[in-house]
């Protein structure tokens, strides 16, 4: 019977292990990346492709003659308010989907939730593509499609972070951003091929292609197992162990699987002991206010980098620089974004999160300063053809900005937010953080036409300032999580490890986790360095905690 307990330390060969274990295979080196893990990351990230494709196609639609004639009432341009609503209502839908998603995901599981929200997106696209002359129908369709995109934007990093092996978890989560860039580039390319059509095919063809991606995701995810951490929480322990082993590419009795399952079991036992947690615990749980606010700020800053300034209004922006075919330039930017994100997958696992985000923030700040300065003081806005060098310089620095963004802030924010929170709070905390992303996405989409109408390219200075603020936030508040388990990351934040020292931090023998602290009702903190208790110190744990490098402990 001992062999049926998957959470004890590895047993002896006499316990009738698989014959391969008798050869010592349960101590074989773990593969860095298995085919199953790769396929899981790629398929799940089709959710990112859906978002990217929708982002890229709407940028092109706003300048297509048939789309303008049907929904703007003219063939020249949309009013600022109407274009802002058509573009921005997707983000409001995303915000709603992100807030509703945790309840659905915790009830029906991660896999089935992905299929459900893929169907919601399909309904939204169907409403849009059947529009004839009523622009409000397009806007409502984007609102509904947005609910699907918003939910998937949390579900994909959630599923991957809970399922992926720790040595490649960051890269797998960043694959979501890679697929966003692939979606933008694909939409730009299709728009480039259809924009010359004088009928509704110019926009209905790209929109119709959008049905393919949710079908692939919604059906394909059913071929993969449920998240092991979710399965374990529901009592399906054997299933969870098998899933972890498959993604690691080793036997179920491998030492790494024992270690991972022991940590999952410890967290689950602590959650059960801590009881059902009300929603506000995402703010009052151990170090949760800090982490929840950090996730919210990071997601907001990802939007305030200014990337969607180019992706939503790229064709309009570059038309203002005097280009004869702004669709070609939008496609070039999309290509740079897509290509450089591949480099980001390497950087995130070899150079860490903190260093990469800081370097990327510096590059983006400089790029936007040059872009805004040239556009404001060197470009002849009235007749841009008179200043071709200024227009060319703006395109070059826009490409520099996109390159820095694609390698760092684009993929890594999703990675960090997927790692910040303990299991018991993860779905709700990620929903709050991602809702911040969609809120700022809407604000930028809606107000950009109005702001640029007043200050034109000086708008770039706003984004430069936000990028500089991002550098400071990362340096002072974000811990390095490269190569660590989710349980170790939880402990790191609870013990107040200094972010600038976090890359050299060594985890204690017994991890101090949010769930273990919650077992003591009302526990909200760990005993401080100077003996000052946190809000309700953890009874019975202070001795153990105090023995763990007390210099790192403060009131939580």
């Amino acid at each position: 019977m001992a062999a049926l307990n998957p959470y004890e330390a590895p047993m002896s060969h006499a316990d009738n292990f698989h014959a391969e274990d008798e050869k010592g295979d349960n101590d074989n080196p773990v593969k860095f990346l298995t085919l199953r893990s790769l396929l899981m990351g790629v398929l799940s990230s089709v959710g990112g492709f859906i978002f990217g494709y929708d982002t890229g196609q709407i940028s092109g639609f706003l300048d297509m003659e048939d789309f303008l004639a049907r929904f703007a009432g003219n063939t020249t341009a949309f009013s600022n308010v109407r274009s802002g609503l058509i573009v921005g209502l997707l983000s409001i839908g995303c915000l709603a989907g992100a807030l509703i998603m945790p309840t659905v995901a915790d009830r029906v599981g991660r896999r089935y939730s992905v299929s459900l929200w893929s169907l919601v997106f399909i309904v939204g696209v169907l409403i849009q593509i059947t529009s004839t002359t009523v622009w409000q129908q397009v806007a409502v369709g984007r609102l509904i499609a947005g609910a699907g995109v918003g939910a998937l934007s949390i579900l994909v990093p959630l599923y991957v972070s809970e399922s992926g092996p720790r040595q490649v978890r960051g890269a797998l989560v960043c694959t979501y951003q890679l697929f966003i860039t692939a979606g933008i580039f694909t939409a730009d390319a299709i728009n480039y091929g259809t924009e010359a059509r004088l009928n509704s095919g110019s926009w209905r063809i790209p929109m119709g292609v959008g049905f393919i991606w949710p079908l692939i995701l919604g059906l394909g995810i059913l071929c993969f197992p449920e998240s092991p951490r979710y399965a374990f929480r529901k009592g399906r322990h054997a299933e969870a162990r098998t899933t972890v082993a498959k993604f690691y590419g080793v036997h179920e009795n491998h030492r790494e699987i024992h270690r991972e399952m022991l940590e999952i079991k410890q967290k689950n036992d602590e959650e059960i002991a801590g009881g059902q947690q009300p929603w506000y615990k995402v703010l009052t749980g151990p170090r949760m206010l800090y982490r929840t606010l950090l996730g919210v700020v990071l997601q907001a800053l990802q939007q305030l980098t200014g990337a969607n300034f180019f992706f939503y209004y790229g064709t309009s922006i570059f038309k203002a620089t005097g280009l004869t075919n702004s669709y070609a330039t939008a496609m070039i930017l999309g290509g740079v974004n897509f290509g450089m994100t591949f480099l980001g997958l390497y950087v995130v696992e070899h150079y860490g999160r903190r260093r990469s985000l800081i370097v990327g923030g510096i590059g983006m700040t400089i790029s936007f300063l040059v872009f805004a300065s040239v556009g404001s003081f060197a470009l002849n806005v009235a007749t841009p053809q008179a200043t071709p060098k200024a227009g060319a310089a703006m395109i070059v620095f826009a490409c520099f900005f996109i390159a820095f963004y694609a390698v760092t802030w684009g993929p890594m924010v999703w990675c960090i937010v997927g790692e910040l929170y303990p299991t018991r709070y993860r779905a709700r905390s990620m929903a709050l953080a991602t809702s911040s992303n969609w809120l700022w996405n809407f604000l930028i989409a809606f107000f950009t036409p109005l702001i640029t109408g007043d200050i034109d390219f000086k708008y770039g200075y706003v984004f430069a300032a936000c990028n500089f603020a991002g550098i400071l936030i990362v340096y002072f508040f974000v811990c390095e999580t490269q190569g660590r388990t989710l349980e170790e990351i939880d402990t790191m934040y609870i013990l107040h490890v200094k972010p600038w020292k976090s890359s050299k931090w060594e985890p204690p023998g017994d991890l101090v986790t949010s769930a273990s602290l919650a077992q003591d009702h009302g526990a909200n903190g760990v005993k401080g360095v100077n003996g000052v208790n946190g809000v309700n110190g953890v009874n019975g744990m202070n001795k153990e905690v105090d023995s763990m490098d007390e210099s790192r402990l403060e009131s939580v």
Side-chain angles (χ1 to χ4, degrees):
M1 294 297 291
L4 296 178
N5 184 352
Y7 314 115
E8 295 178 358
M11 294 170 279
S12 67
H13 298 311
D15 287 317
N16 198 26
F17 269 3
H18 191 280
E20 291 180 356
D21 291 312
E22 296 179 4
K23 302 174 184 177
D25 283 3
N26 61 334
D27 285 325
N28 281 350
V30 176
K31 296 178 182 177
F32 181 74
L33 177 65
T34 65
L35 178 61
R36 190 184 300 271
S37 294
L38 176 63
L39 291 177
M40 179 269 291
V42 168
L43 177 73
S44 300
S45 296
V46 172
F49 192 98
I50 292 171
F51 171 45
Y53 187 82
D54 200 88
T55 298
Q57 69 175 10
I58 195 63
S59 172
F61 291 174
L62 295 179
D63 285 311
M64 290 180 177
E65 287 190 14
D66 187 81
F67 196 80
L68 284 165
R70 288 172 182 270
F71 304 116
N74 61 73
T75 58
T76 306
F78 280 93
S79 66
N80 290 337
V81 172
R82 189 173 297 188
S83 65
L85 285 172
I86 290 176
V87 174
L89 277 177
L90 177 89
S91 303
I92 295 298
C94 290
L95 178 62
L99 292 174
I100 297 169
M101 184 284 306
T103 302
V104 178
D106 285 341
R107 286 183 179 273
V108 305
R110 300 355 181 182
R111 270 196 326 155
Y112 292 125
S113 294
V114 170
S115 297
L116 173 63
W117 290 107
S118 296
L119 179 61
V120 171
F121 179 81
I122 289 173
V123 171
V125 175
L126 188 63
I127 293 173
Q128 293 177 70
I129 204 169
T130 55
S131 304
T132 53
T133 57
V134 181
W135 72 268
Q136 292 91 339
Q137 184 175 341
V138 176
V140 170
R142 285 181 59 77
L143 181 71
I144 294 172
V149 171
L152 291 173
S153 71
I154 306 173
L155 276 168
V156 168
L158 178 63
Y159 177 77
V160 175
S161 64
E162 289 187 346
S163 304
R166 66 170 178 168
Q167 70 272 14
V168 292
R169 186 182 61 243
L172 290 177
V173 173
C174 288
T175 304
Y176 176 80
Q177 177 64 25
L178 172 66
F179 272 63
I180 292 178
T181 65
I184 293 172
F185 176 66
T186 302
D188 287 337
I190 294 176
N191 282 345
Y192 179 73
T194 64
E195 57 93 12
R197 298 174 69 99
L198 300 179
N199 55 28
S200 64
S202 60
W203 57 274
R204 279 198 169 112
I205 290 174
M207 193 177 286
V209 172
F211 282 111
I212 297 173
W213 324 124
L215 286 173
I216 292 173
L217 177 61
L219 297 176
I221 196 68
L222 299 178
C223 300
F224 284 86
E226 183 54 87
S227 151
R229 285 170 172 81
Y230 178 84
F232 195 101
R233 288 176 64 195
K234 296 300 180 180
R236 308 200 300 265
H237 299 167
E239 175 189 337
R241 187 181 185 90
T242 300
T243 300
V244 172
K246 286 181 177 179
F247 283 131
Y248 271 92
V250 297
H251 191 271
E252 292 183 22
N253 292 311
H254 192 281
R255 69 185 187 286
E256 186 68 19
I257 306 306
H258 281 296
R259 187 195 60 77
E260 185 102 352
M261 293 306 299
L262 282 168
E263 289 186 1
I264 293 175
K265 179 180 185 296
Q266 177 189 2
K267 294 284 277 185
N268 186 71
D269 289 346
E270 291 165 351
E271 286 187 24
I272 294 173
Q276 185 67 32
Q277 298 294 305
W279 67 268
Y280 59 79
K281 283 292 184 179
V282 301
L283 300 176
T284 62
R287 206 82 197 283
M288 284 305 299
L289 178 61
Y290 179 99
R291 285 185 275 182
T292 298
L293 290 178
L294 180 59
V296 167
V297 170
L298 287 175
Q299 288 283 22
L301 286 170
Q302 191 198 48
Q303 286 299 316
L304 290 168
T305 58
N308 281 342
F309 172 62
F310 294 114
F311 296 141
Y312 280 142
Y313 297 102
T315 52
S316 303
I317 292 168
F318 292 113
K319 184 180 289 185
T321 65
L323 290 172
T324 56
N325 191 335
S326 56
Y327 286 88
T329 304
M331 188 168 66
I332 291 171
L333 283 183
V336 171
N337 190 28
F338 178 49
M340 294 303 293
T341 304
F342 280 101
L343 179 59
L345 300 183
Y346 176 84
V347 169
V348 70
E349 293 298 356
H350 291 81
Y351 295 96
R353 282 63 155 161
R354 279 174 50 82
R355 185 188 308 171
S356 301
L357 289 175
I358 291 171
V359 172
I362 293 171
M364 293 189 299
T365 300
I366 294 172
S367 298
F368 247 123
L369 285 174
V370 175
F371 179 88
S373 298
V374 173
S376 300
F377 304 111
L379 182 72
N380 186 329
V381 178
T383 55
Q385 293 82 1
T387 52
K389 291 183 178 180
M394 292 177 70
I395 294 171
V396 169
F397 277 92
C399 287
F400 279 143
F401 166 83
I402 293 297
F404 281 111
Y405 173 83
V407 174
T408 58
W409 278 82
M412 290 185 196
V413 168
W414 294 105
C415 176
I416 290 173
V417 170
E419 298 171 334
L420 263 180
Y421 310 110
T423 305
R424 67 192 298 113
Y425 307 119
R426 186 171 296 126
R428 289 175 179 173
S429 296
M430 286 184 67
L432 285 175
T434 309
S435 297
S436 168
N437 186 296
W438 296 121
L439 175 62
W440 283 98
N441 192 311
F442 167 74
L443 293 174
I444 290 171
F446 182 77
F447 287 107
T448 287
L450 303 174
I451 294 173
T452 55
D454 286 337
I455 62 175
D456 215 348
F457 291 108
K458 291 185 178 68
Y459 192 26
Y461 291 125
V462 176
F463 294 124
C466 291
N467 285 313
F468 182 73
I471 297 169
L472 300 179
I473 293 292
V474 170
Y475 182 80
F476 287 108
F477 299 103
V478 177
C479 287
E480 182 55 69
T481 57
Q482 178 190 2
R484 302 193 184 278
T485 67
L486 299 179
E487 290 72 23
E488 289 171 351
I489 295 169
D490 187 23
T491 300
M492 186 187 303
Y493 278 99
I494 289 174
L495 298 186
H496 286 258
V497 174
K498 297 283 190 291
W500 50 92
K501 297 181 179 179
S502 58
S503 61
K504 298 179 180 179
W505 177 75
E506 292 294 333
D510 294 318
L511 299 181
V512 180
T513 62
S514 299
S516 65
L517 295 179
Q519 289 183 49
D520 181 61
H521 296 296
N524 209 22
V526 181
K527 188 174 181 180
V529 182
N530 299 317
V532 180
N533 289 323
V535 183
N536 295 325
V538 183
N539 297 330
M541 289 187 64
N542 286 339
K543 279 188 179 180
E544 180 181 358
V545 173
D546 288 344
S547 68
M548 303 174 190
D549 195 359
E550 287 194 354
S551 65
R552 296 189 181 108
L553 302 180
E554 301 173 8
S555 175
V556 176

